[in-house]
Amino acid sequence: MSFEAFVVTKEGEDVQTAVRSLDDDALVDGDVVIDVAWSAVNYKDAMVTQPGNRVARISPLIPGADLAGTVAASDDPAIAVGTEVLAQGYDLGVSHHGGFAGRARVPTGWVVPLPVGLSARDAMVIGIAGFTAVLSLARLAQVGVTPGDGPIVVTGATGGVGSMAVSLLARHGFEVVASSGKASEHDYLRGLGASRVIGREDLTSDGARVLGEERWAGAVDCVGGAALAGLLRSTRYGGAVVATGLTGGPALETTVYPFIVRHVALLGVDTVSTPIDERRALWSEMATHFPAATLEAFVAREIGLGQLAGTLDAMLASQGRGRTLVRLGG
Ligand SMILES: NC(=O)c1ccc[n+]([C@@H]2O[C@H](COP(=O)([O-])OP(=O)(O)OC[C@H]3O[C@@H](n4cnc5c(N)ncnc54)[C@H](OP(=O)(O)O)[C@@H]3O)[C@@H](O)[C@H]2O)c1
């Protein structure tokens, strides 16, 4: 069967993108073929289009780390033809063709049946961004951070992960402070549940001090770099900072003082290698975290494959907001 796909090709350090018509022979190994109905844009999808990137591991590559649709063929009796499913993470869109195509073939161990109450489109509004927010909330809970402890700050708040984290934390009773570089999006962030919005520079304005004012009971950080160092300096005694991303840079320059003087915890989140049983269990409860009726607030745009190249460039230039959905199905 033929289908359209957004294809990234690397030649040395140069990267080309194009929408091409492919057939099933172009798909890579797997036990389950999925007619993809929806995908969504994640930051990693933009990274694989960057010249010189080391994120794309094969060429040509169909990016798209998130996909949802209907099983068209299956070697696994537990995943029947016609089942509505999603797949995300693992090698998808990096070293295995991903969701920016009308068809995908994936290992059965990557497949998650869609939870009751969520459509394929709903699942892609939530996608990796919502999954990251849920894992971040669990990390805060693991070290005993509760709504009574004080405000939680979310950095990169208008992004996919940031938007979902603001909303999820607010729905779980936390006072949420959103940190954003976009002055035009304060109403959006308040609408998601932020009690107030601060600028990006607010977190780094304490200069070279090793410890700053104790402001936050916790943080969900999508930015890394100087923002993460600033969060560590300004987290209260016994608080926790969850590191999820690197849009502000991968380097972290800090001292040990937040850890040995303030008892602050720095916690990682990884959504790529989450064991499939845990991923399926977390998705089965996703509609309780993100009810379908609340999801439209996160949707910035629906696009087709032809609009992807421009959308990915805009994402790297921090021009996006919330979730951009990619429509594949009829
Ligand atoms: N750990 C994991 O498993 C996991 C899972 C998903 C995503 N991630 C990572 O999390 C990060 C966010 O992903 P996403 O899909 O939410 O991306 P996104 O939608 O592009 O959002 C990123 C946000 O970061 C802020 N930002 C962008 N450039 C910045 C810069 N130069 N300095 C400071 N802030 C900047 C912007 O928010 P404001 O304009 O509001 O400040 C932007 O909206 C990425 O680094 C991604 O790779 C990790």
Side-chain angles (χ1 to χ4, degrees):
M1 197 188 116
S2 70
F3 56 87
E4 299 283 292
F6 178 82
V7 181
V8 171
T9 311
K10 273 177 154 182
E11 279 166 28
E13 299 294 284
D14 193 29
V15 176
Q16 304 289 335
T17 65
V19 177
R20 291 197 197 144
S21 186
L22 303 176
D23 60 35
D24 284 357
D25 292 343
L27 296 175
V28 278
D29 292 347
D31 324 287
V32 179
V33 177
I34 300 167
D35 281 332
V36 181
W38 293 94
S39 182
V41 176
N42 293 290
Y43 196 78
K44 186 193 274 181
D45 306 322
M47 292 170 83
V48 301
T49 65
Q50 282 300 284
N53 81 80
R54 300 286 177 267
V55 183
R57 307 299 289 273
I58 55 172
S59 177
L61 168 71
I62 302 171
D66 254 334
L67 65 84
T70 306
V71 174
S74 173
D75 295 338
D76 181 352
I79 300 180
V81 170
T83 309
E84 289 205 282
V85 297
L86 68 94
Q88 60 179 190
Y90 308 113
D91 297 335
L92 207 61
V94 174
S95 57
H96 189 109
H97 290 329
F100 295 166
R103 297 266 270 192
R105 186 187 287 132
V106 299
T108 185
W110 296 2
V111 175
V112 179
L114 280 195
V116 174
L118 294 180
S119 67
R121 184 179 181 280
D122 293 338
M124 290 297 95
V125 179
I126 299 167
I128 290 171
F131 192 76
T132 308
V134 168
L135 289 187
S136 299
L137 178 69
R139 290 298 253 159
L140 291 174
Q142 265 173 14
V143 292
V145 176
T146 65
D149 293 335
I152 307 291
V153 60
V154 176
T155 61
T158 65
V161 176
S163 297
M164 306 305 279
V166 167
S167 172
L168 184 70
L169 288 160
R171 286 173 53 80
H172 282 259
F174 286 95
E175 176 191 346
V176 182
V177 176
S179 163
S180 175
K182 299 187 187 84
S184 58
E185 299 294 356
H186 289 201
D187 287 349
Y188 166 69
L189 291 166
R190 286 200 193 86
L192 294 182
S195 60
R196 66 196 166 91
V197 185
I198 59 174
R200 286 181 193 169
E201 64 296 337
D202 187 291
L203 295 171
T204 51
S205 56
D206 59 353
R209 296 176 61 185
V210 293
L211 289 172
E213 184 193 342
E214 296 182 57
R215 301 171 71 187
W216 323 111
V220 174
D221 176 45
C222 305
V223 171
L228 178 52
L231 291 172
L232 290 169
R233 291 195 297 271
S234 57
T235 296
R236 291 180 186 171
Y237 189 90
V241 178
V242 181
T244 76
L246 46 55
T247 57
L252 173 59
E253 253 184 72
T254 185
T255 71
V256 298
Y257 291 110
F259 312 114
I260 67 172
V261 174
R262 296 242 175 105
H263 207 70
V264 166
L266 176 57
L267 306 167
V269 157
D270 168 61
T271 60
V272 173
S273 304
T274 307
I276 190 63
D277 289 344
E278 186 183 340
R279 193 184 298 276
R280 287 173 180 158
L282 286 166
W283 268 100
S284 72
E285 294 169 1
M286 204 56 95
T288 62
H289 292 303
F290 297 109
T294 66
L295 292 177
E296 220 45 47
F298 301 106
V299 179
R301 282 198 309 154
E302 279 180 15
I303 61 169
L305 294 177
Q307 293 155 285
L308 258 172
T311 301
L312 296 172
D313 285 348
M315 189 169 212
L316 289 165
S318 187
Q319 289 165 2
R321 163 183 126 175
R323 297 285 283 164
T324 296
L325 300 180
V326 186
R327 188 188 323 98
L328 282 313

